[in-house]
Each structure stands twice: as structure tokens, then as C-alpha cells.
Amino acid sequence: MAAPVNIIVGSHIWVEDPALAWIDGEVFQLNGQEVHVQLTNGKRVVTNIAKVFPKDTEAPPGGVDDMTKLSYLHEPGVLQNLATRYELNEIYTYTGNILIAINPFQRLPHLYDTHMMEQYKGAAFGELSPHVFAVADVAYRAMMNEGKSNSILVSGESGAGKTETTKMLMRYLAYVGGRSGVEGSTVEQQVLESNPVLEAFGNAKTVRNNNSSRFGKFVEIQFDKSGRISGAAIRTYLLERSRVCQISNPERNYHCFYLLCAAPSEVRDKYKLGDPKSFHYLNQSNCYELDGVNDAHEYLATRRAMDIVGISEEEQEAIFRVVAAILHLGNVVFAKGKEIDSSVIKDEKSRFHLNTTAELLKCDAKSLEDALIQRVMVTPEEVITRTLDPDAALGSRDALAKTIYSRLFDWIVDKINISIGQDPNSLSIIGVLDIYGFESFKHNSFEQFCINFTNEKLQQHFNQHVFKMEQEEYTKEEINWSYIEFVDNQDVLDLIEKKPGGIIALLDEACMFPKSTHETFAQKLYQTFAKHKRFTKPKLSRTSFAISHYAGEVTYLADLFLDKNKDYVVAEHQGLLTASKCPFVAGLFPPLPEESSKSSKFSSIGSRFKLQLQSLMDTLNSTEPHYIRCVKPNNDLKPAIFENLNIIHQLRCGGVLEAIRISCAGYPTRRTFYEFLLRFGVLAPEVLEGNSEDKIACQMILDKMGLKGYQIGKTKVFLRAGQMAELDARRAEVLGKAAKKIQRQIRTYIARKDFISLRQAAIQLQSCWRGMLACKQYEQLRKQAAALKVQKHFRCYVAQTSYSTIRSSAITLQTGLRAMTACNEFRFRKQTKAAIIIQARFRCHRDYSYYKSLQKAALVSQCGWRRRVARRELRKLKMAARETGALKEAKDKLEKRVEELTWRLQLEKRLRVELEETKAQELAKLQDALHAMQIQVEEANARVIKEREAARKAIKEALPVIKETPVIVQDTEKISSLTAEMEILKKSLLSERQVAEISKKACLDAEARNSELTSKLEDAENKVDQLQDSVRRLEEKLSNIESENQVLRQQALTISPTGKRQPRATIFQRTPENGAVPNGETKIGSDTTLAVSTREPESEEKPQKSLNEKQQENQDLLIKCIAQDLGFSGGKPVAACVIYKCLLHWRSFEVERTSVFDRIIQTVASAIEVQDNNDVLAYWLSNASTLLLLLQHTLKASGAAGLTPQRRRSTSSSLFGRMSQGLRSSPQSAGLSFLNGRVLGRLDDLRQVEAKYPALLFKQQLTAFLEKIYGMIRDNLKKEISPVLGLCIQAPRTSRASLVKGRSQANAVAQQALIAHWQSIVKSLNNYLNIMKANFVPPFLVRKVFTQIFSFVNVQLFNSLLLRRECCSFSNGEYVKAGLGELEQWCCYATEEYAGSAWDELKHIRQAVGFLVIHQKPKKTLQEITNELCPVLSIQQLYRISTMYWDDKYGTHSVSSDVISSMRIMMTEDSNNAVSSSFLLDDDSSIPFSVDDISKSMQQVEIADIEPPPLIRENSGFAFLHQRTD
């Protein structure tokens, strides 16, 4: 980062600040090398020009997602970009292909759900917003495409989020490489579940992090050839063993100790555990619990994770027993013994913990005590046992605890690796490295030394990778470049690991000498590296040394280096635990080989760690690396706090600033030709006025500015450090001159405008004065004219008044005279009227008196006549009274009649009771018979064969005397009784369906007994029908034999002793009591006596095979016919109508077994095998929906009605059924035609059929095929428009070529190209609409298709808008809005009948685009946005759009900061209330309708007038298709 140039007055720059690291300001004065700056906080500072950096005032308000796009790639620019993005909850940022992840310290579940993983799957790197999933996907795609192993290195300090980032990486790799349908736990599940196990035993709370990994972890995920996870391995590095015994406040020990103390009470009692405060290894710190973490729940979760990774229940018990033993071991305390330098157990409490430890480890308590306080020294002469003082005994105790825990952790890692399994055939891996970051504390020991040594190694690898990427970028752009120097840290690595003479080598050497101490080791370091530039000695310390690492200088305390470096187990400890009776504990300490125990070869932690690290580096060097740098924004571990100094320190430690320095050593500023011309085209407008290529235009601008050392590649301009600032200074100068010119012009315009306004005011004043004079003259003339008019009107008034007086007097006189005449006339009329009234009253009185006299005379006459008639009637009554004997006789007759009726009623009741008793007896007999039949199964088989042979012989002998006796119905009660018995037998047979064979034999036996009684002929025939029902459920090979047996049995039962034959069957009409046919239709059932013809016996025994073959031929012809495209007739699919008519005519819906349904389904399945043929799919969609509609209105599930005598209809599939069906279709039985006499008309006329299981199954299969075909058409359309949708969401780059002259033509072409993408979508929609219209697909289904398609378009466009910042711009919103207009026009063209509510499905993208293109966004309130502009969008979605928005056309800003803050508060509340915070939409691929919806929405289908296809038109078997309605 070279010193900036071209700093002038008015320049915006960055200045160093001790509190904020960097602060921006404006230059207001320059004095040589001194710069006077006005800071944004109001202060003024003076600094050197070499210590300031230019600020990009045109940087996007939301920052850039890739910091290589920054105009000024320097430290303050990087810090400002990260701070801006972090404020918007954008925690991920790229620096080239390096991902920087800032810990948000809050849950952001919407960033890591399955839908988000689906979005990043297969997406190009950099196409979507920065994300950890993008890095994982790049590694996975590179492995699949190039076949090379990849690695992802996650680094950062404690609390930066390395562990969580690693989890997300492994989740994504498990998502893209997972396997489905694998029994048990898959590899990816075990790898993911190994995280909580390793965290429980390897993570602890530190000062900076509540879940800090105290070990390094490298996970190798192995993949097979198809990209599926086939194995995995976990490697761990340098577990911090000292933490087991020593912790500081406010840290915690490893999680497993606290989890075990919070386990259920029975577990704690078993291990004799209690409060963590009672254990020495835990109570050294006051922190026992973590905020938001329930240790009891975590214990159960850890146990579940152990189950998944393959640790058995016994092994889990052993593990936690060892953990409990370590806790108890820490409470063993020693006191001084009686002898010098000896020690003993301090008290009974320590003795209790010692015994408990021995009990848990299953070893001898005395041996454990001796191993802690004694040491055995073997000399050539003797074996010497010496005791340890209390301090040494405590050291021995802690050493044992650390050794046990270290071995336990290594065992868990090995167990996980064994359980997961490794794939030896795997050719490629993806390694995820979760390693500790650079550490520098107040006191740094051996662990920090090893950690920083690791980071030095990784930093060297990182620098080489960054340098390599720089070279690849230059090579890709084909520019001339020379070797770029960068600072290498090889000298630090040599200082640490070089042999001989490195720090690790000197440490091993010191550990080999018993008398070496940390002071002698430190002095050796001082002597050896006194002149080394990276090694320094602190002034006031004798055991400390400092190393200058790449991230800064770190001072180490050498006090415990020797103890922590020794990697050996005390022989007493080894022997004690090897002899443990617990196999698990003994397995942790296997006996050492004799040669190794005798060998004196020294082993150290440092050397072993160096070898592990070298192995890791070899693995990383053999893979393609990807880097994720995790950053902790603050030390308070709280969200929304961004501490600049802390971030800068971590960026230095993570090597990010070093990578930027390497970039600055070459060409730190890179701009595409379009971006360069857009920014610096004002420097040479004459270049842009022509139509030269962008590359030549950029070259001309740079040459004009006189810059040297730049490079122009194939697509970008590469500028040296400082050249961007120089160009910006020239640009600012040009813009300044332009601003002055604009100011001059505007001032001229304002002055001229003022002059014109004054001149117009003077003219207006003159006009007003002239107007006033004219008004005065006019007023004088007006007054003169008014005086003349007043005089005229006064004279007129005087004359009118005189005339009015004279006229009024004349009228008054005339009125008086006329009133006198009227009074006289009134008086005369009144007198005349009174006279008339008097006369009328008199005449009325006279006539009324005459009427009253006549009425009185009539009443007198009537009373006399009535008296006379009454006397005559009295005489007659007296004569009738003498005849009472006749009345008494009539009464006796009536009483006798009543008694007779009463007797008859009692008799009828008695008969009914007897009938019921008879029924019960018959039922009991039949049940007993069925029970006996089950016992005599084998005997019944033999009887069937004998009966068949006897029947044949009887027929041959009795041929001359065969006669069919008509059935005479004599006793109604008997017939009812037999009918009831028949129904009971049918119910019994249905209940015994699972033993059909036994029931059949039982029925044959019962029939053999009943055949001897001719009076029970109908009962026997009923049992034959039941036998036919059972036979149809037997194996196919027995059906023909049983049908023939029924024919012979019927012929044997119809023999008559008269010796004559009847020419045909006798048919009787059924009554409702004996099983009536609905609507009075006559029917020949299987219980009707079959006529035996007088022809030859060969003609009487029609073979069943011929009937089967005929039916099979008809089915074959139907299948062959519907396999063709039969087209449509009157908008109705011919195939569906023909299938329905045939199935209904053949009565296939009512049979228990048929193959025609399966053959139809297979035909449909074979027709839609070609999924891309939309014509065929639409054709069968129309047929399937129509046929399903017909079935929905025809079929009804058979319930209790299936047990009634109507069940006999199903016998049409047997021999008798087919023969009777032939009779129905014959001319002689015209009165019995059931189907031929019924013509199918409208859907309302379709009769309801009791469907059997095959028909109902066929309906379900047809429904499934309808849904499948619908889904195939919908998915085909999705596949067709998906590639175009990716082009529709963002306008092509060329469409924003420039706003200068000469570019309008290219802009118009690009805009036309964009509309062409939308028009291709419209073309696809039209194509599918025409196809479905041509195949008469129901409009209901068409609407559903396009509704889901528009919903898919809405989801894809909206999600792309939220995931790609370059799409959230003003101009892009205009382009998308224009494209949506094309879709709206298509909806109008398609009409509501076919488009339905499809346009409403685009509500999310419509409102989002509407928000992008509105003006004055900062003035909009949150209420206006949520209630008026975007009521459908959630707060998360609005926040995402608002923060990602940028105006590339007018340079306006997004909504105000207050609105952003309100949105953030609402999002926080939603997350606290467990509301889903995902801002992405999900595509609904379900079937959005049911069979009932189709039935309700489709119109009635007229199937009567469908013309049969040519293939079956002339076939006699399909003659029923030719019938028409009247």
C-alpha cells in the first residue's frame, strides 16, 4: 500500500485514529508534506501526507461483496466495507476467492436452511451473495469436474465462529454428497454428529469464547466417483491437556465435566457426583454455567450423538466413568508424611475420593495410592523405591489426570473414525480444517507457541496461494507481468523448526537432560538466537523470549515448556491402569512392547506435533485450497458491535491484510472496460463519441492521462498502486471545471431571468395605469346614461299608477252586482232540494209499513205447515219403536264378526311365531353343518369327484325322460322362509371368505343332502350360486373345471319323472320379498332354472373357453384401438368415452376379478413414457380427466347392498353369467335386455354401479396417472423457461453500456434482447396453451398449470433478486417491470378462463420491483412501505431489498436509516418469538386439486353421440356403441 498521490484541497481521505483505527475527513489545507484535515467528528488534525489514504466517495452505500472491486484496496477501505456490510447483517464478504466471515453473535437461521443450500447448489462462484455454502460448492464442483482433492481452511481467533462455520461446511457437503435410502446412520450423519461429541470433550469456555475448540481438527470427507460421500476421517492436533488440571477465572474446564454433573440423578448417584463447585478441577473458576445453555439437555444430546457415531451403550458408560474418575482424582489431596520428602493422603475426604477413583477405574486403591506418591528407580544393582513430597505427589496426580483424559480423547477420535469408516477406493477428498487462530495473551506458554507455529505454517501456505491466484489472474488476462516480491516468513519457521538449532530442537535437547531447567533452556535460547532479527529477549525477565510473528510480536514464558513438552507416561501409572479390571481403561493403556520399554529414545510433544503439522501441510499442498477467515467483531460477544481496532488486528493475524499487500505489490486496482469507461469516460469524451471498441477507448484515455506501468488485459484494466487516485484527481478536476461552467451558465440564466421579470413588471404597471384612466372615463359616461333611464322609468310609473286606479274601481263595481245575482240563485235551489227530501222520506215510510205486514203473514203460514209435518213424523217414529228385535239381531251379527276377526289375528300371530322359531332352527342347523364341513375337508373333495361322475351317468341314462318342471309358487310364507335362509347363508359365506375352499366343500355337501328333497329345489340352486362366488376366487387353473361341474349339477337337478322336455326356461317375475330388481326390471339370475335344449348334447354343453376367447378378443381390440390417437368428437375425447361405454356394457365394474383395467393402465403408461412429447401428454390428460369424471359419477363403493340377492349380477363373468348374458342379447329375450335397452345419454342419466375392488383400484390408478401427467406437463414447462428466467432477472451488461452519445444504438439492441428473453417465455406459454386447447384439456386443469407456473416464476425471480445485489438496482427494476408487463399482456390474451388467477401469483416480484422503481424512497415511512407499497412482503424481505438496493441510474439512496433500524428491531422481535426469519420463497410442486375438484369444475359429458373408431366400427362385438338417444 504505497503512499497516496494527488491529494488536493477538497479531497476525501482516511486518517489514522487511536480509538477508531481510521476516520474519514476532508482536506482543507496543504503545506508541503503536511495535510490539514477536517474530520467527520468535528475535529481538525494535521498529519503527514504519507500516512493518509484516499477515500472512494462513490462507493456503494451497502458496500461491495468482493473487496477486489474496491476502487482503493487499502486497510481503511477494507475496514469501511466490512463495517458497512456488517451493519446490514451481511456477515460474509469475498476478497477474491477468500471468504471473510464476521461472527454476528445472533441466530440467522434463514441463511442456513435447506432452501438456501438449494440456491447455492451449482451456482457459479460470485454469482450470488457471499456465503460459506458458495465456498463449499466451489470445492465440491472443482473436485467433481477436475477430479482433484480440495481443502477448506477455516481460521480465526477464539470466538470468531470457526466451529460454527465448519459445521455449516460439513452440512452443505453432506447435503450435496449425501446418500438416500441407506440403512442405519449414513457417513454424513455420523460426520455431522461427531461435532457435538468432539465439542463436549474438546471444547471449553475461554475469556473470548463460550465454546472454544482447544484442539485442531482436520476432517477428510471422502467421495466416490459419483460424488457421494463414501467415507471420512477426523484428525486432531494438540489437545490442551493442561486445562484438565488448571483453569483461570472466568474460564471453564472441558464441557464434558459439567455435562456429567448435570446428568440425571441416577447417573450422578452411580458415579458419586455432586455440584461442580465441590470438585477442585472445576472450582478454580467461578464460572459453572453458560448463558443460554442447559447442561442437562446437552448431556442427553451428547449421548444421542454418541449413539449415532457408533459408540455403544457400554462404551458410553465407560467413558463417563473415566470422566467421573478424573473429577474424583482431582479432589485427592496430600499431606507431609512421617519421613522426609514423603507424603500421605491428607484426610478421610481425600481417602473417599481416592477409593471412588479406584472403584471407577476398577483398579486397586492401594496400588493407586502407591502410584501417586511413590516412584520406582531401576538400577543395575537394585530397585529403589522413593516417595514423593506433597507437591510432587500433586504433580503426579495432575499428570495422571492429563494422561487419562488425553488417552480418552484420542480413543474417542479413533472410535469415531472406525465407526464412520474410510473408503480405500476413494480418489478424491474435501478436507475441512478447523484450526486455532493466532493467539497472543498476557501470559503465553507452550500451547500458544505451538498454535502460533501452526499459524505461521498456514500463513506461508496462504501467501503462496494468494500469490498463485494473482499470477493466474494475470495469466488469464494475458498481461505482461514480472515477479512480484512479497515478504516470506520462512525465517520464522526456520527459527522454530530448523534442525539442528531450532527452538523445538533445543527444547527436545533440554528435555533429554534430567538437570535441565526452564532457566537453562531460556539461556540456551538467548545464546543461540542473540542476533536473529525475529527473536528478542525482554529486558526484565530471565525466562521469557519474544518472537516477531507475521501478526505481531508475542512474548512466551519458558517456565513450563519442559514439562509440557515431555510426552511419556509414568511407569507406575502405566502399570496401574494396564492392570485395570475394566477392559475399556486397560485398552486406553495397552502394555508397551518390551523393546520399546527398554528403549531410551526420547519422545516429545513438540516433535510429534511438528510431524503432524508437516503431514497436514503435505495434505494441504496436495489439494486445491480454499480459505475462510473468521473474524470476531467485538470482545463482548454481542451483536451489532463493530470494533475497528479489534477487526484490524484480526485481519492482520488472519493474513487478509498481507494478501491485500501482495495485491498492492502488483496491480491492486482492476476494472472492467465497462466500469472504467463509466467512471473515467469524462476524461476524454471525444473517445466515447466514436464507436471504437471498449479496449481501445480505455487505452486512449490512459494515454491521454499520461500514465505509465498500467496493463490492459482481455476484459480488465490493471492499474498500479496510486494510479487510481491520480485518475480520480484528474476526474475531480474535470468535474470541477464542468461544475464551474455549469455554475456560470446557471448564474447567467438567473440574471437574465431576473431582468425579464423586471421588464414584465414595468409593462404590467403601465398597463394597469392606462386601465385606471379608461375606467374613470367609462364611469362618467355610464352615469349620464343612467340618468336618462331613471327619468324614463319615472314617467312610465306615474302613467301606470293612474290607469291601475281606474281599472280597480270598475272591477269592484262589477263584483258586487254579480254577487247579488248568485245569492238569489242559491236561495231558490236550496228550497227546491228540501222539498224533494221530504217527499222521499214519506214514500219510504209508506213502502216499509206494507213490507212488514206481508212478512208477518208469511211467518204465521209457515209455522202452521211445520206443525202439521212434525205430527206426521211422530206417528212414523212410534211405529218404528215397535221393531227393536230386528236391531238386536243386527247387533249379534256384528259381535260375531268381530270375534271371527280377532281369532284370525291370533292365528296369524301364532303362525308368525312358529315361522320365526323355524328360521332359528334352520339357522342353527346350517351353522352346525358348516362346522362339520370344516372337519370333513378331504372327504368332501372325494365326494365332488364322485358326484360329478354320477351326475354324468345319470344324464346319459335319463336323456329320453328329461323334463323341466315349472316352479309353482304355492306357499308365500314358505318362499319367504327360504329367501331368508338364502340371505343368511350368503352372510355366512362372506364372513368365511378367508376359508373359501372349506366353504365350497361344505356347500357341496349340503347340496348333496338337499338334492334328495325336490321341495327344496330353490334352496339348492341358491347354494350353487354361492359356490360360483367362491370358485371365482380360486386359482385360474381350477375355474374351467368348476364351471363345467356347475353345468352338470344343474342338468341333474332339472330331471322330471314325466319323461318330457320343455323347449325353454320358465321365467317368473320376482316380488320385492324374494329379491326384486329395481324399477321392476325383469332379470334372469343364476337361481333361475336353465333351459335344456332339445338339440344334441354337444350343443347343450357350450364350452367356456369359447366365451373367454370372445371376451379376450374384444378386450384386445379395445386395447389396440385406444393405443392409437382417436382424437376428439365435439370437444370430447373419443378414447375415454369408448373405454367407459365398453366397461359399462361388459359390466367390468361389478366383477371381482378382471384384467382389462390393468391393460388399460399399462397402455396409458406406455403412451406417456416419452416425457418430452407434450402433445401426447395433453391428449392423455384430457382423456384421463374425462374418464375419471365419468367414473366419479358412476361408481359407488359396495357396502351392505353387496350382501343382497342383487349380488348375483356378478356371476356374468362365470359360465352361467355369460350364457344368461347371451340370452339377454338374443331376439327371443327382448324383454330381458338390460344394457341394450338402456341408452346412455347425459351425465345425469348415468346409473350408479356398485363397484368392486378392481374398479375402485382402477379409479385410484387413473387418479394417480392424471396427477402424474399433470405434473409432467407442468415440470416440462418449468424446465423450458428455467434457463430463460436466469437471463430475465438481470439486464445484460451491455444494456448499461453508457449514457454518452454513440451508445444509444447498443443500448436499444440490448433492451430488445432482454425483451426477447421475456418474449421467449411468452412464446413457451402460448405453445403450451395451444397444445392443451387443441387436446381439449379442461380449463380447470389449464388454470392450475399456469397458476403454478406463474408461482414458479415468482419464486425464481424473487429469490434471485434477494440473493444477487446487482439485481437490486433501479434500472434492473425497470427492465423486470417491463418483462412483467409482457406476462400481464399474455394473461389478458389467454383470458380468465385459462389464465385464472395466475397474474396474482406474481405478487411478490411485482411489489419488489415496484419498490425498486419508486422515487423518493428516503421519504417513505415504514407504515407506507408495509401497508401500501409492499403489503405481501415480510419484514425480512423488505430489509433485504432495502439494504441491497443501489441506484445505478440516478444515484438516489434507499430508505432512511430510521426505517432500516425499525426493520431490524422488528426482525429481532420475530426471531425472539420463534417466527421464521427466512426471506426466500419455496416453490410448491404439489398437486393443487382433488378428484372432487375436477368433478365439480368440469362440465357434463355427452357420451351418447360419440362415433366409434374405424377399427371397431364394423365389429359385431361393439354394436352397442352405435346406439343413439331418441
Side-chain angles (χ1 to χ4, degrees), residues 130 269 329 385 475 515 637 657 674-675 806 869 872 891 903 962 1037 1106 1272 1397:
D269 295 342
L329 182 62
T385 301
T475 305
K515 294 184 179 181
L637 311 183
L657 297 183
Y674 162 76
E675 294 171 343
I806 297 173
V869 172
R872 290 178 185 175
K891 176 183 177 183
W903 178 80
I962 292 178
K1037 61 182 180 179
S1106 62
M1272 292 167 66
S1397 60

Side-chain angles (χ1 to χ4, degrees), residues 677 680-694 696-698 700-701 704 741 1297-1306:
L677 292 176
F680 299 112
V682 296
L683 297 178
E686 69 279 359
V687 175
L688 299 181
E689 289 178 357
N691 290 323
S692 57
E693 294 183 359
D694 290 348
I696 299 176
C698 294
M700 295 172 66
I701 292 174
K704 182 179 179 181
K741 187 174 183 179
S1298 182
L1299 298 177
V1300 299
K1301 297 179 180 180
R1303 301 278 174 171
S1304 59
Q1305 184 176 2

Side-chain angles (χ1 to χ4, degrees), residues 256-310:
C256 61
F257 296 114
Y258 303 92
L259 301 186
L260 189 56
C261 290
S265 57
E266 60 272 12
V267 177
R268 297 198 305 270
D269 295 342
K270 179 169 60 175
Y271 299 138
K272 300 179 181 180
L273 296 175
D275 191 2
K277 297 179 181 179
S278 62
F279 295 102
H280 172 69
Y281 285 163
L282 305 182
N283 60 19
Q284 300 174 42
S285 168
N286 294 328
C287 180
Y288 299 99
E289 296 179 353
L290 298 178
D291 294 336
V293 178
N294 189 322
D295 288 331
H297 293 169
E298 292 298 321
Y299 170 79
L300 299 177
T302 303
R303 293 295 293 260
R304 286 194 296 269
M306 286 181 165
D307 293 333
I308 294 177
V309 299

Side-chain angles (χ1 to χ4, degrees), residues 804-820:
S804 296
T805 303
I806 297 173
R807 182 173 175 273
S808 177
S809 300
I811 291 173
T812 303
L813 182 61
Q814 293 174 356
T815 301
L817 293 175
R818 290 173 182 151
M820 186 182 296

